[in-house]
């Protein structure tokens, strides 16, 4: 399969090139040139299949031309060492719990898949080491570091803002050692991101070492996220609840919802999508006005969605633009909602008190958007619960006046010893550091 750039100014790339480069040469995002759709019989057969079998069907549609069947099967099985169950919250609203992986957030799926696919390409070539640079405000760093831990031929540098990530998050990428290096930057998340961007543009540095990114711009990270949409469909189909599905996705960079929309074009039986935002609502504004006006993000309690410039917006425009007028097409499939911190807290309290279900601040946006969307009686709403509430223990306990339990997986990380290197936010320091590696 070939991959083209959303900016259409770069040559097409192979899967291997797209995964190793991350971003196309013209700074566009890679898109598969073809989206294979399943037949209605194949979709119906998913009802009787396991998560591994369903995920392999989807993976095969994207990557089957480029990766041998047994290798792809093993990558899928190794990636999905955990389930993504659909759990009822009330009559017609279900939570798709994506937080049962090693770092308790949905990003584990994409990060683990990408690590294994990249590891496979590097091993096959037997060539140079690849260095993954990732800037994080918390969740991405932990998922990427744990996904790539111990993969031969790859070294990961996690850049994070000193004093601005929670202790639980910090220990998930600073205690690992091996091929994971944590760089504690004296600055903000935006400074970390700027350092990574400058590194990708620095010719001498790129001559010195092979650099790539592991955020949701990478096709190997975001496409595998379509697996669990099909798995959710299968689980609900077994209960006769999948005739009119509405998926609601708490969104920041819009990688997760884009993977769902790819699923839709492959034949996933979904009626419509909802994008739930916190106060960072450039996408909702676009739905309302047709004008896309990215701007700096504001801080909220659902901080993994504090994104002012959603990188996958280009992919959404490209996908729908192939059909007809992109704006009209998007509006007919996707609606949007936005929530303030107070509204998020109110939803968390209400759902906990009325249904005994514990939401994290991101999932709360998803749940509330399904309520506000006023589902019809025959519709089933599914929101993606993107992180375990314990990852945001401080916030959750304050809102619910609770003392929620930290799962053993998280507690294990907290036992490790922190190892990190301090750097200023000056690019020259970061550059020198990398040149000496
Ligand atoms: C990354 C993240 C999101 C946003 O996902 P996108 O793919 O960037 O839209 C939502 N919730 C949590 C907990 C996250 O970590």
């Amino acid at each position: 399969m070939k991959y083209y750039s959303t900016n259409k100014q770069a040559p097409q790339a192979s899967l291997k090139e797209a995964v190793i480069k991350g971003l196309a040469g013209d700074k566009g995002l890679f898109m598969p040139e073809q989206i294979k759709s399943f037949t209605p019989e194949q979709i119906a057969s998913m009802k009787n299949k396991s998560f591994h079998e369903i995920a392999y069907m989807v993976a095969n549609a994207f990557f089957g031309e480029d990766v041998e069947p047994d290798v792809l099967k093993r990558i899928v099985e190794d990636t999905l060492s955990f389930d993504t169950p659909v759990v009822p919250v009330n009559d017609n609203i279900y939570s798709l719990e994506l937080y049962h992986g090693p770092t308790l957030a949905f990003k584990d799926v994409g990060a683990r898949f990408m690590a294994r696919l990249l590891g496979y390409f590097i091993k096959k070539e037997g060539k140079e080491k690849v260095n993954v640079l990732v800037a994080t405000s918390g969740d991405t760093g932990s998922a990427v570091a744990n996904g790539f831990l111990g993969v031969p031929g790859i070294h990961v540098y996690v850049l994070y803002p000193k004093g601005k990530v929670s202790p639980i998050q910090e220990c998930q990428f600073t205690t690992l050692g091996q091929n994971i290096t944590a760089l504690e930057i004296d600055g903000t998340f935006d400074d970390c991101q700027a350092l990574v961007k400058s590194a990708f543009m620095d010719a001498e540095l790129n001559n010195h070492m092979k650099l790539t990114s592991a955020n949701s711009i990478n096709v190997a990270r975001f496409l595998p996220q379509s697996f669990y949409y099909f798995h959710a469909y299968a689980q609900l189909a077994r209960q006769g609840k999948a005739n009119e599905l509405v998926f609601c996705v708490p969104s920041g960079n819009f990688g997760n919802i884009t993977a769902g929309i790819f699923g839709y074009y492959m034949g996933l039986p979904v009626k419509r999508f909802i994008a739930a935002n916190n106060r960072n609502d450039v996408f909702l504004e676009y739905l309302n006005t047709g004008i896309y006006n990215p701007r700096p993000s504001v801080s909220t309690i659902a901080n993994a969605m504090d994104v002012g410039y959603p990188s996958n917006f280009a992919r959404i425009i490209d996908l729908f633009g192939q059909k007809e007028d992109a704006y009209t097409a998007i509006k007919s499939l996707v609606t949007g909602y936005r929530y303030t911190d107070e509204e998020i807290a109110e939803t968390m309290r209400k759902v906990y008190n009325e249904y005994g279900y514990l939401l994290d601040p991101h999932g709360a946006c998803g749940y509330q958007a399904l309520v506000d969307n006023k589902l019809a009686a025959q519709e089933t709403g599914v929101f993606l619960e993107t992180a375990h509430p314990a990852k945001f223990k401080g916030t959750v306990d304050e809102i619910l006046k609770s003392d929620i339990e930290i799962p053993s997986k998280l507690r294990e990380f907290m036992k490790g010893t922190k190892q990190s290197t301090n750097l200023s936010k000056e690019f020259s320091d970061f550059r020198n550091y990398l040149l000496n590696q």
Side-chain angles (χ1 to χ4, degrees):
M1 180 94 74
K2 291 279 182 215
Y3 289 79
Y4 65 89
S5 162
T6 50
N7 285 345
K8 315 258 169 31
Q9 303 296 314
Q12 293 205 336
S14 66
L15 174 63
K16 187 181 79 192
E17 288 163 345
V19 175
I20 292 179
K21 288 177 79 168
L23 204 62
D26 60 1
K27 307 220 158 38
L29 277 70
F30 284 115
M31 294 283 280
E33 65 168 356
Q34 204 197 346
I35 302 176
K36 295 184 183 162
S37 31
F38 295 117
T39 62
E41 292 72 36
Q42 285 173 315
I43 296 284
S45 78
M46 289 181 179
K47 209 163 98 169
N48 305 313
K49 286 188 159 50
S50 69
F51 189 16
H52 283 178
E53 289 168 331
I54 294 168
Y56 177 69
M57 282 173 77
V58 180
N60 192 42
F62 286 122
F63 309 119
E65 291 172 20
D66 300 287
V67 186
E68 296 90 330
D70 56 326
V71 175
L72 189 57
K73 210 168 261 171
R74 203 180 59 237
I75 291 176
V76 166
E77 287 171 8
D78 288 353
T79 299
L80 303 173
S81 56
F82 51 92
D83 195 16
T84 59
V86 167
V87 174
V89 175
N90 60 30
D91 287 348
N92 60 348
I93 298 185
Y94 289 75
S95 169
L96 170 53
E97 291 183 350
L98 300 178
Y99 57 62
H100 297 284
T103 73
L104 309 188
F106 83 91
K107 291 184 175 76
D108 281 328
V109 174
R112 288 168 67 82
F113 189 94
M114 180 185 163
R116 282 158 181 79
L117 188 65
L118 185 57
Y120 160 74
F121 283 135
I122 291 171
K123 191 169 155 202
K124 208 166 141 184
E125 304 262 298
K127 279 223 294 253
E128 251 186 291
K129 185 163 87 178
V130 172
N131 299 279
V132 173
L133 301 184
V134 57
T136 187
S137 55
D139 267 4
T140 304
S142 47
V144 169
N146 284 276
F148 283 79
L149 181 65
V151 179
I154 304 179
H155 198 97
V156 177
Y157 295 91
V158 180
L159 287 79
Y160 71 102
K162 186 186 174 89
K164 294 194 175 66
V165 302
S166 77
I168 291 182
Q169 288 175 323
E170 188 175 18
C171 66
Q172 287 180 291
F173 49 80
T174 57
T175 59
L176 300 168
Q178 297 185 54
N179 60 331
I180 311 298
T181 301
L183 300 174
E184 189 170 11
I185 307 296
D186 223 333
T188 62
F189 169 65
D190 290 336
D191 293 324
C192 296
Q193 200 147 31
L195 289 176
V196 169
K197 279 193 181 142
S198 302
F200 287 132
M201 307 226 267
D202 189 286
E204 193 190 336
L205 202 52
N206 283 273
N207 260 339
H208 175 73
M209 62 206 298
K210 210 175 196 109
L211 299 176
T212 192
S213 77
N215 58 28
S216 60
I217 61 166
N218 200 301
V219 288
R221 224 200 89 185
F222 99 93
L223 284 175
Q225 294 171 177
S226 54
F227 299 166
Y228 43 70
Y229 286 90
F230 285 95
H231 181 43
Y233 158 76
Q235 293 174 67
L236 288 164
R238 265 174 234 143
Q239 304 170 36
K241 288 276 194 182
N243 294 333
E244 295 190 29
L245 281 183
V246 178
F247 277 106
C248 181
V249 190
S251 296
N253 262 322
F254 282 73
N256 216 0
I257 196 168
T258 304
I261 296 169
F262 266 85
Y264 169 77
Y265 283 123
M266 296 169 88
L268 174 73
V270 49
K271 201 167 166 192
R272 54 205 162 81
F273 288 92
I274 301 172
N277 284 150
N278 58 26
R279 278 165 58 228
N280 296 281
D281 58 356
V282 292
F283 185 77
L284 175 63
E285 189 179 271
Y286 169 77
L287 289 178
N288 289 339
T289 64
I291 296 163
Y292 180 56
N293 178 29
R295 51 184 171 259
S297 62
V298 296
S299 300
T300 76
I301 57 170
N303 62 16
M305 288 157 39
D306 293 351
V307 179
Y309 205 129
S311 47
N312 285 288
F313 185 75
R315 282 198 169 108
I316 297 181
I317 294 291
D318 190 85
L319 261 181
F320 286 94
Q322 293 172 5
K323 303 280 158 188
E324 44 192 296
D325 163 45
Y327 178 60
T328 312
I330 292 173
K331 273 187 62 128
S332 66
L333 188 68
V334 189
T335 44
Y337 291 87
R338 57 94 80 178
Y339 297 101
T340 63
D341 283 358
E342 293 71 33
E343 290 167 330
I344 293 170
E346 186 52 38
T347 298
M348 288 168 63
R349 278 191 289 263
K350 199 166 170 214
V351 171
Y352 187 62
N353 293 335
E354 285 183 19
Y355 307 111
Y357 191 80
L358 199 56
L359 289 166
D360 96 293
H362 307 80
C365 296
Y367 171 86
Q368 192 59 42
L370 282 171
V371 172
D372 293 338
N373 193 247
K374 303 203 184 348
L375 297 174
Q378 71 280 10
E379 290 178 335
T380 302
V382 182
F383 67 95
L384 279 58
E385 179 43 299
T386 46
H388 192 289
K391 290 201 90 169
F392 303 91
K393 181 170 165 58
T395 306
V396 173
D397 281 345
E398 201 181 305
I399 291 170
L400 300 180
K401 312 250 178 304
S402 56
D403 180 14
I404 59 171
E405 199 186 331
I406 299 180
S408 57
K409 269 185 223 165
L410 269 187
R411 263 181 294 156
E412 281 306 308
F413 285 111
M414 297 168 85
K415 287 185 193 150
T417 315
K418 173 177 160 179
Q419 296 166 273
S420 66
T421 300
N422 275 288
L423 288 176
S424 77
K425 62 179 180 184
E426 300 305 322
F427 179 58
S428 55
D429 282 352
F430 179 48
R431 186 171 181 275
N432 282 335
Y433 172 83
L434 287 179
L435 285 173
N436 286 319
Q437 298 305 303

